Amino acid sequence: MMRLFLTFIVALLPLAAVAADPVQPKSPTPVKSIAIPIRHITPGIEALLSDQRALLKGKRVALLTNQTGVDRKGVSDVDLLRAHPAINLVALFSPEHGVRGEAQAGEKVASGIDPKSGLPVHSLYGETKMPTDKMMHGIDIVLVDLQDVGTRFYTYSSTLLFMLRAAEKSGAEVIVLDRPNPLGGVMIEGPVLEPAFASFVGSFAMPVRHGMTFGELAQMFVGEEKLRTRLRVIPMRGWNRDLAPYVAWDLPWVPPSPNMRTPQTAAVYPGTALFEGTNISEGRGSAKPFEYIGAPFIDGAALTERLNAMGLPGVTFTPISFTPDFSKYAGQPCHGVWIIPTNSTTFQPFRTGIALVKAVHDLYPDKFEFRAGTPSFFDQLAGTDTVRKGILDGKAVSEIEAQWQPGLDAFMQLRARYLIYP
């Protein structure tokens, strides 16, 4: 059953207040329930069908989407579009994890036929990540409706960029049906991607946490790459940049990928996903992927003590033990910490992630490892090698952060040209 986006504001109520499964520790601080009014947000798909359906009349339409493309009632875009006899939906494009979101991270997705709708599905995470001429042939309009998580290395933004490039070549118009950024639209964090570390987990020079919606990203991609793509954004209604990321919205939270289960997961993901570039479990295969990090050799209590002593803003840590069902250390007991944001306006997930990696490295220098590769996957996620080198050189978190601040300042000015929402 779909859950509403969230029913409390983190600035007032710790995320640990949500119901916990039996293996999880209790919230470190008792809390009282707080009634929060529901914020009504109209996603781009509803705005399109209510006000601008005529844009699709007489056109051959394709849809780049997955299970997150739904209206406020949870009805899929595919069903909504097919319900209108005047709309000719001819094909689907799927990002990583597939149209139904069932494939695990990195798992190739095959093209084929969607069994529910009978429509052909062109995978953009299989043999190719760039739409081919054959895929784009005969398509007049590509609708794009994906729930992003506001983080550069979440691959949906690369899929969007590649579609815009392909549409420039084919002549198709791209219409982005906008959705909220669950991390909000004010704070940005992390290094701006350096060209040497570009990959599918970083295909545009922006920081790890960019503070933009999918529609705003599309405008920036077209503008900064000087694409001739015909782009239109259908804005959502009811969302603004400083809306608390965890206020109650009347949109269902549909996990954008198998391990992005809740808005809490999205909150910590920009930092804890860095552990994908190490030999430490990022919690895949556990009850709370990305909220738990650990390894068999970690002392969770010692790590917790060190992290809480740092006084990182808007977050607390508690010891946790878990046994992953798959991925790193599958079937082996792991010990580590549960990352619990306590204030959505001050929590800095990427800074917290750097502090976590540094703390584990410093406590276990003989057992902690960065994954090998040229460039290393950690560097591709960070978008630079200065973070990894800073940790290895024993630099303080503040010293590491200072290196990317000029790039953040420049990006803040650049993105201002493309913002849609106040």
Side-chain angles (χ1 to χ4, degrees), residues 366-388:
D366 296 330
K367 294 183 178 180
F368 173 89
E369 296 176 359
F370 289 106
R371 283 173 53 183
T374 306
S376 78
F377 189 57
F378 186 94
D379 294 350
Q380 289 180 318
L381 292 170
T384 178
D385 61 3
T386 60
V387 175
R388 177 178 53 83

Side-chain angles (χ1 to χ4, degrees), residues 352-363:
T352 300
I354 299 301
L356 274 162
V357 176
K358 176 176 168 55
V360 177
H361 167 270
D362 292 353
L363 282 171

Side-chain angles (χ1 to χ4, degrees), residues 142 144 157-169 172-176 203-206 212-233 414-415 417-418 420:
V142 179
V144 180
S157 59
S158 290
T159 297
L160 171 64
L161 174 57
F162 286 15
M163 175 57 77
L164 290 167
R165 290 172 177 169
E168 178 188 41
K169 185 177 179 182
E173 181 180 11
V174 175
I175 300 178
V176 176
S203 55
F204 186 86
M206 57 185 178
M212 302 176 75
T213 70
F214 229 42
E216 292 170 337
L217 284 177
Q219 293 189 157
M220 183 173 66
F221 293 162
V222 169
E224 293 304 305
E225 290 212 350
K226 297 180 171 52
L227 300 176
R228 298 187 301 275
T229 309
R230 292 181 295 137
L231 170 68
R232 185 189 300 265
V233 177
L414 180 148
R415 78 167 197 157
R417 308 172 198 165
Y418 303 106
I420 298 171

Side-chain angles (χ1 to χ4, degrees), residues 316-335:
T316 191
F317 305 89
T318 194
I320 189 68
S321 293
F322 59 95
T323 301
D325 294 330
F326 62 91
S327 194
K328 298 173 189 170
Y329 305 115
Q332 300 180 53
C334 292
H335 316 287

